[in-house]
Amino acid sequence: MKEILIPFATGLAVFLFGMQLIRIGLGILAGDRLESLLLRFTRTPTRGMLTGLLVTSLLQSSSAVTVLSIGLVDAGILTFPQTIGIILGTNVGTTVTTEILALKIEDFALPMLLVGGFMHLLPWKGFKGAGLAVAGFGCIFLGMEAMQWLSIPLKERGWIHWILERGGDPVWTGIAAGTLLTAVIQSSSAAVAMTMGFYSSGLLSLPVAVAIVLGSNVGTCVTGLIAAIGTGRSAKQVAVAHLILNVVGVLLFAPVVHWIADAARLLDSDPAAQVAHVQTLFNILCSLVAMPFARPFAQLVTALVPDGVIVWRIGKGRKR
C-alpha cells in the first residue's frame, strides 16, 4: 500500500499547493478587480459567462468562483439570475489548467519553481504575484508527475481492472469514480490530471477516461453545496443551479461517451491532450447549449428552491 498511498498523497498535495499558489499570485495581481468584474459585467447571461470564464481562468478554480458568487448573492450584492452566466463560464474556465498540462512542458517544472521563487523575492508587488503564479505552475507539473507513479503499482495489482469489471457498465462506473474522487479531493483539475496520467500509462481506456472527466464535473459541485449551508434562499439557488446544470450535462453526454472518445482520437494523437480536449469540448458545448435557456432555467431553480426561507441576521430578520 505504501507504493500507492505515498505517491498519491505527495503528488496530490504538491498539485493542490501549486493551485493555491497560482490562486494567491493571480489574486495579488488582480487585487480587488475580480470581485468588481463579477459585479459590473454580469447583467446578461452572455456577459456573465465571459466574466465567469475570465475570473475562473485567473483563479484556476471553478469552485472558488462559485463560492465567491454564493457569498455575493447571500450578501445581496448579486442576484441569483446573474450567477447563471457566471456558472456556465466557470465550467469553461476550469479547463485552462488541463489544457496547459497537455502541452507537455513538465520538464520546465524545476526552472519554473526557481524563477518563481526569485521573482517573489523582488520588492515589487507585481513581481511577487507573478512569481507565486509561476512557481505554482511548477508545482502542479511536479505533482502530476508524482501522481503518474501510481500507474505502475496499480497495474501490477490490477485494482483498476477489478473495479471496472465488477462495477457493471464501465462508463457509469467511471462517472461515479470521477464524481467521488473530485468530491473528496475538492479539485476537478487534479482529478482530470490524474486521469490524463492513468490513460497515458495505459491503465485506463479512453471511454473510461472520458467518463471520469464527466463525473468530475458533478463532483466539483460539492464545494458549492457545502458553501451554501446556512445561507439564504438565493445563495442556495446558486449551488442548486450549479449542480443541476452539471448533472444534466453528464446525463446528456453519457450515452455517447464512445463517440466522444472517437472524436478525441481525431483531434490529437497525444493521450493526455485527448483527455484535456474532451473536458474542454464537453464544458464548452454544455455552456453553449444552456446559454439560450439561462433565464427560464433561473425561473425553474427559483421554483425548486422557493421563497419562504427565513434568514435572521444580527439586529434584524428578513425573508429572502
Side-chain angles (χ1 to χ4, degrees):
M1 287 294 291
K2 285 184 179 179
E3 66 272 24
I4 293 176
L5 291 178
I6 291 176
F8 174 75
T10 303
L12 180 61
V14 174
F15 188 99
L16 295 178
F17 178 67
M19 296 286 287
Q20 187 68 14
L21 284 181
I22 295 171
R23 202 170 303 153
I24 294 172
L26 293 176
I28 291 173
L29 289 175
D32 296 329
R33 289 189 290 273
L34 294 177
E35 185 171 317
S36 65
L37 274 174
L38 290 178
L39 297 178
R40 291 180 58 191
F41 300 105
T42 55
R43 293 178 182 175
T44 66
T46 302
R47 292 173 66 179
M49 178 179 172
L50 293 174
T51 303
L53 192 161
L54 175 61
V55 176
T56 304
S57 300
L58 290 174
L59 290 182
Q60 294 292 300
S61 173
S62 60
S63 298
V65 179
T66 302
V67 171
L68 176 59
S69 300
I70 288 172
L72 292 174
V73 169
D74 194 44
I77 299 172
L78 283 179
T79 64
F80 161 62
Q82 285 179 287
T83 64
I84 299 298
I86 296 174
I87 291 170
L88 296 176
T90 61
N91 287 341
V92 179
T94 194
T95 65
V96 172
T97 302
T98 47
E99 288 292 350
I100 292 174
L101 290 174
L103 295 176
K104 292 289 184 182
I105 55 176
E106 58 267 22
D107 292 341
F108 297 98
L110 287 176
M112 291 174 82
L113 278 173
L114 294 174
V115 171
F118 174 75
M119 291 174 67
H120 186 63
L121 293 175
L122 297 175
W124 300 286
K125 182 179 178 181
F127 279 95
K128 287 181 178 293
L132 286 177
V134 171
F137 275 110
C139 284
I140 67 173
F141 291 130
L142 287 177
M144 185 177 177
E145 188 172 351
M147 288 187 287
Q148 286 181 348
W149 299 341
L150 287 169
S151 59
I152 297 175
L154 286 174
K155 268 185 178 178
E156 293 174 349
R157 293 174 182 260
W159 288 358
I160 300 294
H161 293 293
W162 184 86
I163 292 172
L164 292 175
E165 287 174 0
R166 286 158 179 76
D169 187 340
V171 170
W172 289 106
T173 302
I175 291 173
T179 300
L180 180 61
L181 177 62
T182 306
V184 170
I185 65 178
Q186 295 286 289
S187 173
S188 60
S189 295
V192 175
M194 277 189 270
T195 304
M196 291 164 66
F198 289 166
Y199 172 56
S200 298
S201 304
L203 195 61
L204 297 173
S205 66
L206 185 53
V208 173
V210 171
I212 294 174
V213 170
L214 297 185
S216 70
N217 283 273
V218 178
T220 196
C221 298
V222 171
T223 306
L225 292 171
I226 293 173
I229 295 174
T231 61
R233 175 186 62 89
S234 296
K236 287 183 172 65
Q237 288 172 348
V238 179
V240 171
H242 189 207
L243 177 64
I244 293 175
L245 283 170
N246 285 8
V247 168
V248 170
V250 170
L251 292 177
L252 288 175
F253 281 85
V256 294
V257 160
H258 291 280
W259 293 354
I260 297 173
D262 292 337
R265 293 188 183 97
L266 296 175
L267 290 173
D268 207 303
S269 58
D270 181 70
Q274 290 173 359
V275 176
H277 295 341
V278 163
Q279 187 199 23
T280 301
L281 288 174
F282 168 74
N283 285 318
I284 289 176
L285 287 173
C286 285
S287 294
L288 291 178
V289 169
M291 178 59 65
F293 307 101
R295 287 190 172 88
F297 176 70
Q299 294 172 353
L300 172 64
V301 175
T302 301
L304 292 174
V305 187
D307 292 326
V309 178
I310 303 296
V311 181
W312 288 95
R313 297 192 180 277
I314 296 175
K316 65 176 181 178
R318 62 178 179 177
K319 185 180 289 187
R320 308 181 80 185

